[in-house]
Amino acid sequence: WEWPKKPWKVKLDEKASLLGMPADKEWALLANYSDRTLMRNIVAMKISEICGFKWTPRLRSVEVYLNNEYQGVYTLCEHKKVSSDRVDIDVADESDAPEEGGYYLEMEENLDETTCWWTGMGVPMMFSDPEVPTPAQLEYVKNLFADFEACLYSNDLADPVKGYAGYIDVDSFINYYIIQELTKNIDGNLRKSSFITIEAGGKMEMYHVWDFDLSLGNCGYFNGTIGNGPEGFWIKDYTSGSWRGDNWFNRMMKDPAFVARLKERWNELMPELSKITDFIEDQAIVLDKAQERNFKKWGINASVDWVKFPSLGSYEKEVDYLKYFYSERLGWLDKEIDSL
């Protein structure tokens, strides 16, 4: 981790409830060094709650001291893992036949787990749990993805039985699409920090989301002419595997039933999504004094060159931009999704 403010994984000696969150040993402290509002992950998890994912990581803004030295504002959150209060699935063990156990998978182009592969459409996949499946389990899961992607390209694409819908929980994929497209998350296009579960004999499901510090306008290196502004599709047109618009979600949108359900779900969520700017204002109040201490240590103008989005010069301007970007993005998508 090149930057001076470090994120941490925390492992306690015993399970403990922190700030009202369910007891566990494993936690994460997110540094949010690249996010000068210190709240993009918090805002995204609020949207996740609205979308109704199986699990939304619980989190709290905190100020951290290490050995009596002030470290700044962090986001304390539940670390992603299989457990009854987090990713609640029965994971396959080595004695299970391939179809008898569950699998927790991550899309991550760094391929930094023990068992990894690329799908035929160029999506990077890794086993998070079990970390090392049996050869039969690995083959089973790889074949599921291969069959799913083959159906996306087949003439039976839109068939509810023979098509892609026979392999995935469509509503979870729609919720995933909405949150990633709404936040215009640079990492959310099936290449990083995305998670799929497969329960015994079940379909692939987008179980939860993660990692939104480079979202909601806080990234200047989007591909091609899409730009950093609130307009323009990102997930639909630039998903991992092909930068020419030939990807999972672009293909699904050739299915009238998928588009109809996307529109329906968007309109269901719109009343609550419209309240997010108020939520941002509330979070800014919570962080009012703490952000001053944080930026006294780290500096509001600290350069993060690789993000290619310079500081606006003050915390108030950063929060105002976040509200502006969200409002404009919501309005743009409201029109564009309706016209799909």
Side-chain angles (χ1 to χ4, degrees):
W1 190 262
E2 321 171 28
W3 302 282
K5 188 182 181 187
K6 310 297 185 186
W8 290 308
K9 180 179 177 182
V10 179
K11 188 169 184 179
L12 308 177
D13 289 335
E14 298 178 356
K15 285 186 176 182
S17 173
L18 302 183
L19 300 180
M21 295 181 280
D24 204 286
K25 287 185 178 181
E26 296 182 64
W27 304 84
L29 281 166
L30 308 179
N32 299 314
Y33 183 67
S34 304
D35 172 17
R36 297 178 182 93
T37 70
L38 305 170
M39 69 169 81
R40 280 181 169 84
N41 276 304
I42 292 173
V43 171
M45 292 309 113
K46 183 64 176 178
I47 298 172
S48 171
E49 289 178 1
I50 291 169
C51 288
F53 284 91
K54 280 283 187 69
W55 174 57
T56 293
R58 302 167 184 89
L59 38 72
R60 307 282 190 271
S61 289
V62 297
E63 290 183 272
V64 174
Y65 291 79
L66 180 64
N67 298 330
N68 295 320
E69 182 179 348
Y70 183 68
Q71 301 297 319
V73 173
Y74 278 74
T75 301
L76 172 68
C77 73
E78 297 177 307
H79 190 65
K80 56 190 188 298
K81 58 178 281 190
V82 173
S83 77
S84 59
D85 289 310
R86 299 182 186 180
V87 180
D88 188 11
I89 63 171
D90 292 323
V91 174
D93 63 35
E94 60 183 13
S95 66
D96 287 327
E99 68 280 0
E100 291 177 345
Y103 305 93
Y104 179 39
L105 308 166
E106 179 176 358
M107 286 162 267
E108 172 54 63
E109 64 185 6
N110 291 333
L111 300 177
D112 52 7
E113 293 286 2
T114 303
T115 308
C116 313
W117 83 100
W118 293 84
T119 73
M121 291 182 71
V123 178
M125 300 298 307
M126 310 189 305
F127 277 80
S128 290
D129 208 348
E131 185 177 351
V132 182
T134 67
Q137 290 166 349
L138 173 60
E139 190 69 14
Y140 170 75
V141 172
K142 290 175 71 173
N143 285 339
L144 278 179
F145 279 90
D147 292 345
F148 160 63
E149 290 185 337
C151 288
L152 278 175
Y153 276 104
S154 74
N155 293 331
D156 293 320
L157 163 75
D159 189 290
V161 177
K162 299 178 182 178
Y164 71 91
Y167 292 89
I168 67 169
D169 181 283
V170 173
D171 282 349
S172 74
F173 274 67
I174 286 173
N175 287 333
Y176 176 91
Y177 175 77
I178 286 173
I179 188 172
Q180 301 290 2
E181 193 74 272
L182 176 57
T183 60
K184 204 176 184 184
N185 184 10
I186 186 69
D187 290 335
N189 61 339
L190 301 179
R191 66 188 183 89
K192 294 179 73 68
S193 299
S194 296
F195 301 85
I196 287 180
T197 58
I198 306 170
E199 298 200 60
K203 296 182 178 182
M204 304 174 195
E205 180 176 358
M206 294 289 194
Y207 199 96
H208 71 92
V209 291
W210 186 261
D211 191 10
F212 285 82
D213 60 329
L214 301 184
S215 69
L216 291 163
N218 191 38
C219 181
Y221 60 90
F222 281 91
N223 186 66
T225 60
I226 188 171
N228 187 48
E231 300 84 14
F233 285 109
W234 174 240
I235 308 303
K236 182 174 83 70
D237 292 342
Y238 296 93
T239 292
S240 180
S242 169
W243 303 100
R244 299 179 300 278
D246 199 10
N247 58 66
W248 285 9
F249 285 105
N250 193 282
R251 294 290 299 177
M252 290 177 202
M253 288 186 190
K254 301 184 187 305
D255 173 13
F258 184 90
V259 173
R261 180 56 185 142
L262 172 61
K263 291 180 178 180
E264 179 184 35
R265 184 62 175 150
W266 176 265
N267 289 320
E268 290 171 356
L269 299 176
M270 188 63 179
E272 292 301 313
L273 294 176
S274 298
K275 299 176 183 178
I276 289 295
T277 50
D278 293 336
F279 179 79
I280 293 171
E281 291 178 356
D282 291 341
Q283 290 301 305
I285 293 171
V286 169
L287 290 166
D288 182 37
K289 298 302 180 184
Q291 61 85 15
E292 292 179 4
R293 292 184 285 271
N294 180 83
F295 292 118
K296 185 176 181 180
K297 180 173 179 67
W298 299 111
I300 188 70
N301 295 308
S303 175
V304 188
D305 292 338
W306 66 279
V307 176
K308 301 186 184 301
F309 185 68
S311 168
L312 299 177
S314 74
Y315 186 71
E316 292 75 16
K317 289 180 180 178
E318 297 286 350
V319 172
D320 285 344
Y321 175 72
L322 176 58
K323 291 190 294 183
Y324 160 79
F325 185 96
Y326 181 83
S327 296
E328 292 294 309
R329 183 74 174 157
L330 186 71
W332 186 87
L333 277 175
D334 193 40
K335 294 177 183 177
E336 293 298 320
I337 287 177
D338 185 59
S339 63
L340 287 173

